[in-house]
Amino acid sequence: MSYALNHTNRKLTLEPKITVNAKIIVVGASSVGISFLETLVFCSHLKFNNLTLISTHGLPGKKLLDTEQRKFLASDHCFNNKDYALMSLCSWVNVVVGRMTGIDRAAKHVVLSTGEIVLYDHLILCTGQQYQVPCPTGADISQHLTNREVPNSSQQRYTGKVPCNHFTLNEEEDCFMALTWIRNNSITTEDGGIASVLFCR
């Protein structure tokens, strides 16, 4: 198991730290959000007592996928599972598992999908790049239209029912669900492999 080893010396022990009690909320466990929290946590002269991360699946680095399966995800290679273990952000940051659905700037709180309200003094939005379910254009494919002739649907959001075999791979949990569905609904070969599977981003 990976572990974190923290070392300190007498000089750092006796050095006074300025305590910051402001409620700082980071929304999204993207590379930017994790890097921001890492900078605050390991600041040598400041101690932050109210750091909160709001993320759909909590902190990353749960090791749901092996090295080969992680290739399904687009990665900027900023952090790997060992980095997450060495940072041990769960020791310093309050983690709220949920999806933010609203911001009340006057009352300084965010609203989660569960209806829970989380107060903040400083709000940092680091949701990262997220793939979305494509929205059908409604074009008649029998007319053999070009891309220029098809109505632009880039600003539209698909709100209908998503088919059970359609997966948007944004996080490890999404890949894990997709692989589980494929194993349960696909033809497997004698050596345990999966036959004729196509992934598209």
Side-chain angles (χ1 to χ4, degrees):
M1 295 293 291
S2 300
Y3 64 92
L5 177 63
N6 297 304
H7 173 265
T8 188
N9 55 37
R10 182 179 180 184
K11 179 182 177 181
L12 292 177
T13 303
L14 299 178
E15 181 181 355
K17 283 193 172 187
I18 300 173
T19 301
V20 180
N21 291 319
K23 294 186 281 290
I24 301 175
I25 292 181
V26 177
V27 179
S30 63
S31 296
V32 175
I34 296 299
S35 179
F36 177 80
L37 289 171
E38 179 189 21
T39 303
L40 297 186
V41 165
F42 294 105
C43 185
S44 60
H45 60 282
L46 297 176
K47 179 183 179 183
F48 294 88
N49 289 330
N50 276 318
L51 297 176
T52 301
L53 171 68
I54 298 177
S55 175
T56 308
H57 301 292
L59 284 170
K62 300 183 180 69
K63 294 185 179 179
L64 295 177
L65 306 175
D66 57 29
T67 304
E68 287 299 317
Q69 294 169 341
R70 286 181 65 87
K71 292 180 180 179
F72 286 122
L73 282 174
S75 173
D76 53 11
H77 303 287
C78 288
F79 301 103
N80 54 34
N81 288 334
K82 184 178 180 180
D83 295 328
Y84 293 129
L86 294 177
M87 279 190 290
S88 187
L89 287 182
C90 58
S91 303
W92 320 96
V93 178
N94 301 314
V95 179
V96 177
V97 178
R99 187 183 300 274
M100 186 188 71
T101 58
I103 303 174
D104 191 328
R105 298 175 64 184
K108 281 199 167 185
H109 70 246
V110 297
V111 182
L112 304 183
S113 55
T114 58
E116 182 182 357
I117 291 176
V118 183
L119 300 174
Y120 69 86
D121 293 317
H122 303 282
L123 179 63
I124 314 297
L125 301 178
C126 304
T127 54
Q129 181 181 11
Q130 297 178 349
Y131 297 104
Q132 304 292 336
V133 177
C135 185
T137 61
D140 186 0
I141 59 174
S142 64
Q143 300 297 320
H144 303 289
L145 301 176
T146 63
N147 289 341
R148 184 176 298 175
E149 297 169 329
V150 174
N152 184 9
S153 61
S154 60
Q155 302 300 323
Q156 299 179 6
R157 293 291 299 272
Y158 180 70
T159 57
K161 184 178 179 180
V162 179
C164 64
N165 61 345
H166 178 93
F167 299 95
T168 307
L169 306 181
N170 285 315
E171 300 175 307
E172 283 192 32
E173 286 77 4
D174 301 330
C175 292
F176 185 76
M177 289 175 56
L179 288 170
T180 301
W181 187 91
I182 290 171
R183 290 191 180 104
N184 294 335
N185 296 277
S186 300
I187 300 174
T188 56
T189 59
E190 293 181 358
D191 59 354
I194 299 174
S196 301
V197 175
L198 175 63
F199 273 96
C200 296
R201 277 195 186 129

